Each structure stands twice: as structure tokens, then as C-alpha cells.
Amino acid sequence: MAESSMPLRACRARFLAGNLAARRVAGGLRAGYPQAMTRWPIPQPMQDALAHARLAAASGEVPVGAVVTLGGKVIAAAHNAPRQDHDPTAHAEIVAIRAAASALGRERLESCDLWVTLEPCAMCAGAISHARIARLYYAASDPKGGAVEQGARVFDQPQCLHRPEVYAGIGADSAAELLRGFFAARR
């Protein structure tokens, strides 16, 4: 399996196992080495999603970006555009899923990953389930509107047709900073 398509948990576990083994000396860690990494590098697809979130902010939209990948390659990328498109469903996730389905010529996006800068709302979580996205990576949690680990918890419902693997908190600080800056400028 290519490193870029390996699930993040596996990448972290592999890194920690190799890194920890390399740092062990006579039953302990060498002096001067941190006990654990406190900050992970942001994977390229999340960096791309953050770039799209910045584009959203620059156009007056709530800064949320999304990227769909297949086999580590970007298939589609989008940002929030409800005001621009006069479409309340034009959330970054929905726009990216539509573009990916069009690019691949199919409605099911099995084996695709979705990278998004904010925890998806109930509408977007439903679309993720219907599109059969394999893995969802999101940056910042959304206590008010999120529906994955907050609120409705769509993927935990017995009626949910498909449950993607979910990885939260990747690039959370960067995404939260974008959102805070965007809303602070409007107050």
C-alpha cells in the first residue's frame, strides 16, 4: 500500500513504532528527545482543503474547504459557495462530492477519501453516506452544526446506510484559526 493512501492511523502507528525503536537506548529514551510528538505535519490533501477554505473566506463565504482523493490523487476540490451560487446546499463537501462523481462518471465514490476543514453538518454527512465515501478526514470540530461527533451523530444512527472511517482533528488548529479570524472580522 502506498504511503499516501495508507490510513492516517496506520501511518502514525508505523511512524511511532519506528521512531520510538530508534530512540530507545538501554531501556530508556535518549536525553533531549521529546516523549511524544506534539504536532503532526498536515497531510497534503488537508493543506489543499485549507487553501480552498482561504479562497472561500476571500470571497466572503464561511471558510470551509474540501478535497476528494482516490488512490492519493486529488479528484475534486471545492469551497463553501452558498452565497456565491445562491444555493443553500453548496457546502464544500457537497460541491466536492458532486465534482468527484462527475469526474469519475459514477454516483458511488467507494475507495475515495474526503478531506474537509470543518466537521460535516447533517446534510453533508448524509451525502457522504450516500456517496459511500470510504474515509472522512476533518480538521475542526463544530459543536453547533457538526453531525459526526456532535449533534445528530449521523454515522452512529441505525438508519445510516454507510459509515465511513472517520479521522478527526487533522489540521484542527489551522482550520479553527481561519474560522475564528473570519467571524471576528465580521463582528
Side-chain angles (χ1 to χ4, degrees):
M1 180 181 292
E3 189 74 25
S4 63
S5 65
M6 184 181 298
L8 198 56
R9 282 188 211 162
C11 289
R12 284 182 180 168
R14 197 164 146 204
F15 172 80
L16 287 174
N19 203 26
L20 198 55
R23 294 186 299 166
R24 287 196 194 284
V25 175
L29 295 175
R30 266 188 257 154
Y33 281 88
Q35 292 295 318
M37 262 182 97
T38 57
R39 185 177 171 117
W40 292 97
I42 298 173
Q44 189 60 50
M46 187 60 79
Q47 290 180 35
D48 294 346
L50 287 163
H52 279 273
R54 288 184 201 94
L55 290 174
S59 64
E61 301 280 1
V62 175
V64 179
V67 171
V68 177
T69 61
L70 176 62
K73 293 185 179 189
V74 174
I75 302 302
H79 60 74
N80 268 7
R83 290 181 177 169
Q84 172 187 314
D85 295 351
H86 309 288
D87 178 0
T89 68
H91 289 197
E93 301 94 310
I94 301 287
V95 177
I97 287 170
R98 286 177 181 158
S102 180
L104 295 174
R106 61 182 199 237
E107 77 279 6
R108 298 278 170 96
L109 301 177
E110 294 108 343
S111 303
C112 287
D113 300 338
L114 176 64
W115 300 77
V116 63
T117 59
L118 185 64
E119 178 182 356
C121 68
M123 174 184 68
C124 294
I128 290 164
S129 177
H130 283 282
R132 305 297 198 267
I133 295 287
R135 284 166 293 281
L136 166 64
Y137 300 89
Y138 69 86
S141 291
D142 185 358
K144 284 185 176 181
V148 176
E149 69 176 331
Q150 316 287 329
R153 297 179 181 242
V154 171
F155 303 132
D156 292 342
Q157 301 305 315
Q159 298 85 1
C160 185
L161 303 171
H162 169 77
R163 292 166 182 82
E165 293 176 29
V166 175
Y167 302 89
I170 301 161
D173 293 342
S174 298
E177 183 180 316
L178 266 172
L179 288 159
R180 277 192 300 270
F182 177 82
F183 288 112
R186 278 148 184 77
R187 290 188 181 114

